[in-house]
Amino acid sequence: MLDLFWLGIVMGLGGTVAMDLWGLLLHLAAGMPKPAWRNPGRWVAHLPRGRVFHDSIATAEPVPGEVVIGWAFHYVVGAIYGVAFLLLAGRGWLADPVFLPLWIFSLVTIVAGWFLLHPGMGLGWALSRTPTPWKGRAMGLVAHTVFALGMWAAAWLFA
């Protein structure tokens, strides 16, 4: 069981790195903005204060270290998703790591962002309060697909 835990962490970190590299590529090639981990960091830092939902996280009280908190949150969530997938898929999946179940799992994980993180930061359910919600949703689904590819590559390399 412990080996599944550690491999799940490695897979989740591999997926998160792949997602970050994808974001960097989009920034360099298409001029898309880099991910702003300051805002999720601020959101996470306000959780222990009992504040889950904000009208706008940008206007919430700044928190020391919010950028670092945001990056750490991003990677911890990735690791948790990696462990969760392996606990659900089991040891048998590692013998033949098929992409489809991992891809479906990674697409399902976007629900946490759409229905907790986004409304918590004041962006509405599934980005509904943003200027282009469908573009953001599509980009999120692509990013989670890249996350799945990174986890899959990590499984092949380290299993």
Side-chain angles (χ1 to χ4, degrees), residues 42-136:
R42 185 177 295 179
W43 179 75
V44 168
H46 279 266
L47 289 175
R49 301 173 183 182
R51 190 78 194 266
V52 177
F53 296 99
H54 299 263
D55 291 329
S56 170
I57 197 66
T59 61
E61 181 184 341
V63 177
E66 58 193 18
V67 173
V68 173
I69 294 167
W71 277 101
F73 173 70
H74 175 53
Y75 275 83
V76 166
V77 168
I80 289 169
Y81 286 161
V83 171
F85 174 77
L86 277 187
L87 290 177
L88 289 170
R91 207 172 296 281
W93 180 84
L94 289 170
D96 182 24
V98 177
F99 180 69
L100 184 61
L102 186 54
W103 185 42
I104 292 168
F105 175 83
S106 73
L107 293 178
V108 168
T109 64
I110 205 167
V111 168
W114 284 354
F115 298 106
L116 179 59
L117 179 65
H118 295 158
M121 295 194 312
L123 302 173
W125 305 105
L127 300 169
S128 62
R129 291 181 58 201
T130 63
T132 55
W134 284 104
K135 179 181 176 185

